[in-house]
Amino acid sequence: MASKNVETVRAAHESWNRRDFDATVSAMTENVSYSDHARNLQLKSRDEFKDWVIAWAKAFSDGKITGPRYIDAGDTVIAEFTAEGTNDGPFGSFAPSGRRMSLAFCEIFKFDASGRIISGGVYYDQFTLLTQLGQTQPRAAAG
């Protein structure tokens, strides 16, 4: 049986898939700290995090979190999943490409004693993402 913290992260991911962004952030403290390490973004509040997840949904309107695996580490939960979707909206400074992406993500959340998310971060390969979207070219193999 999964812990309450694992269920909290699972519920947040499922609510993102449904585009229920209020539910996505409902277990976060107001001053949650979250890092998008690939893009070097530091989010410092629940509202900033909500804006960030909405921006992902606008960039990939059919985007889904698929194949999640959750690791319970007490007051920390690690989530590994694949994000999939079609880039049909702006992604940062990039115009929509109409291309699909399928990319592995690793997300880590830290909880307080009352089961609220106080911090977190996400790791993913931005180069592979931008290559899949046609925004950059793959590197040539070393010879």
Side-chain angles (χ1 to χ4, degrees), residues 23-40:
T24 302
V25 301
S26 66
M28 294 182 156
T29 60
E30 183 60 39
N31 61 347
V32 66
S33 172
Y34 188 90
S35 299
D36 176 335
H37 294 282
R39 294 167 62 195
N40 196 29

Side-chain angles (χ1 to χ4, degrees), residues 10-124:
R10 182 187 323 275
H13 287 164
E14 290 171 356
S15 65
W16 189 87
N17 282 348
R18 292 188 316 270
R19 303 303 189 258
D20 182 354
F21 303 116
D22 288 331
T24 302
V25 301
S26 66
M28 294 182 156
T29 60
E30 183 60 39
N31 61 347
V32 66
S33 172
Y34 188 90
S35 299
D36 176 335
H37 294 282
R39 294 167 62 195
N40 196 29
L41 295 175
Q42 305 300 313
L43 311 174
K44 296 180 172 77
S45 71
R46 183 173 51 217
D47 288 340
E48 286 184 11
F49 183 86
K50 184 177 176 182
D51 290 344
W52 179 79
V53 296
I54 289 171
W56 277 95
K58 286 180 179 176
F60 302 92
S61 68
D62 65 348
K64 295 285 183 208
I65 293 170
T66 64
R69 185 176 86 117
Y70 301 99
I71 301 165
D72 184 355
D75 65 358
T76 302
V77 173
I78 302 156
E80 297 176 319
F81 57 89
T82 300
E84 300 176 342
T86 305
N87 179 219
D88 55 0
F91 181 64
S93 62
F94 295 105
S97 68
R99 296 175 112 182
R100 297 235 356 122
M101 70 101 162
S102 179
L103 192 68
F105 282 69
C106 180
E107 196 169 36
I108 301 169
F109 289 103
K110 177 102 170 139
F111 289 78
D112 66 15
S114 62
R116 309 253 316 145
I117 297 170
I118 58 173
S119 64
V122 66
Y123 298 86
Y124 57 96

